Amino acid sequence: MLSRLSFTTAALCRGLSTTAQNNASVAVLGAAGGIGQPLSLLLKNSPLVSKLSLYDIAHTPGVAADLSHVETRAEVTGFIGADQLPHSLKDVDVVVIPAGVPRKPGMTRDDLFNTNASIVATLTEACAKHCPEAMICIIANPVNSTIPITSEVFKKHGVYNPNHIFGVTTLDIVRANTFVAQLKGLDPARVNVPVIGGHAGKTIIPLISQCTPKVDFPQDQLEALIGRIQEAGTEVVKAKDGAGSATLSMAYAGARFVFSLLDAMNGKEGVIECSFVRSEETACPYFSTPLLLGKNGIEKNLGMGKLSPYEEKLVAGAMDELKASIKKGEDFVKSRK
Ligand SMILES: NC(=O)c1ccc[n+]([C@@H]2O[C@H](COP(=O)([O-])OP(=O)(O)OC[C@H]3O[C@@H](n4cnc5c(N)ncnc54)[C@H](O)[C@@H]3O)[C@@H](O)[C@H]2O)c1
């Protein structure tokens, strides 16, 4: 009971209405991994979810049996191996994909491309065939390439809807909120920093000038703060010393994003999250900005808003890397048989 209360309280502080009831069917692909397991636990703990489908190439029977004993109504089913992938996607409303290898010290997210590009292409091909209408939330890195990959796969199958495909960048927002709160002595649950651009190094662009509540930093502190947000993933990779990248904070961030999406699909108004999506806001065909979510996914792209001159420079400096990562993802699918 305590855990239910404390999660609900935390969620409410962030404005997430996890007390609302819904009948959403959610699939987690990569459910037995470092992110997949705690993310599945948070989803199982939510009254928004009535069916939870857990797919992985290993260990899902155990994870599903374990989670199924949690005293919440979501019905949990485990699926293992490629033969069972189509069954895991039957009638699902939302698919979350944390499948793929994480970084080790010294690696960039782009170093994961060779392994994760084909994992994401294979899994999203199955989604395009078996749940073409579902919302697809991609956690697997490099997000700057795995979203173009997903989009190209859906186009190939003639079922592309750009309003349904999301690169989950929520952890960047979560980190920015936490670090700003630490520096200013605020409650992190009441801080909101939009983070735009992409999800790797300098493509991560926190808009401190648009933070609520309003905060000010001298330029040197501002640059140090932005640098820390951009490299926060690497901070965790180094601290884990070879044992992977962020899993618990990512599970929290992934759950926050999915709950927002489910709330919006359920008719709640005014739900806004940043996400890396198909976009016409800049010269990049994919870009993260705040999005108004609705019953059909992206209701409206709210754009970048007014940037400070320094933030404008950060956006300009991210464009080449973003465009290259996007093209790499698109080319990968075009050259795939
Ligand atoms: N978007 C973000 O902000 C963010 C943050 C942290 C990590 N990540 C990324 O999330 C991914 C997963 O990280 P993790 O720490 O959970 O890794 P992990 O190695 O602990 O787990 C990955 C899981 O994927 C499974 N898997 C591998 N190939 C699969 C396939 N073809 N089908 C289904 N499942 C498959 C593995 O069996 C494993 O259970 C990585 O790519 C990592 O870089 C993204």
Side-chain angles (χ1 to χ4, degrees), residues 12-32:
L12 284 176
C13 286
R14 281 247 62 102
L16 308 179
S17 68
T18 57
T19 46
Q21 183 122 338
N22 196 356
N23 287 313
S25 176
V26 179
V28 181
L29 312 184

Side-chain angles (χ1 to χ4, degrees), residues 28-38 55-60 81-82 85 97-103 109 112 115-116 118-120 122-123 138-143 146 167-172 175 199 233 240 243-251 253:
V28 181
L29 312 184
I35 297 167
Q37 290 201 39
Y55 173 78
D56 204 299
I57 50 173
H59 308 307
T60 28
L85 177 57
I97 309 189
V101 291
R103 286 191 289 160
R109 291 178 180 85
L112 304 172
T115 314
N116 289 357
S118 51
I119 293 176
V120 170
T122 305
L123 294 175
I138 307 283
I139 292 173
N141 271 317
V143 167
T146 54
V168 181
T169 59
T170 320
L171 184 52
D172 299 320
R175 286 167 169 158
H199 176 67
K240 290 200 173 179
S245 59
T247 53
L248 302 173
S249 51
M250 182 59 239

Side-chain angles (χ1 to χ4, degrees), residues 26 40 43-45 49-54 60-70 72-79:
V26 179
S40 300
L43 295 171
K44 168 71 174 137
N45 199 37
V49 179
S50 59
K51 280 197 177 155
L52 193 54
S53 182
L54 306 182
T60 28
V63 175
D66 189 356
L67 266 190
S68 71
H69 293 180
V70 172
T72 56
R73 76 191 172 111
E75 197 182 291
V76 182
T77 315
F79 299 89

Side-chain angles (χ1 to χ4, degrees), residues 118-138:
S118 51
I119 293 176
V120 170
T122 305
L123 294 175
T124 54
E125 258 157 25
C127 295
K129 281 186 201 153
H130 302 288
C131 56
E133 302 287 320
M135 304 290 165
I136 311 291
C137 309
I138 307 283

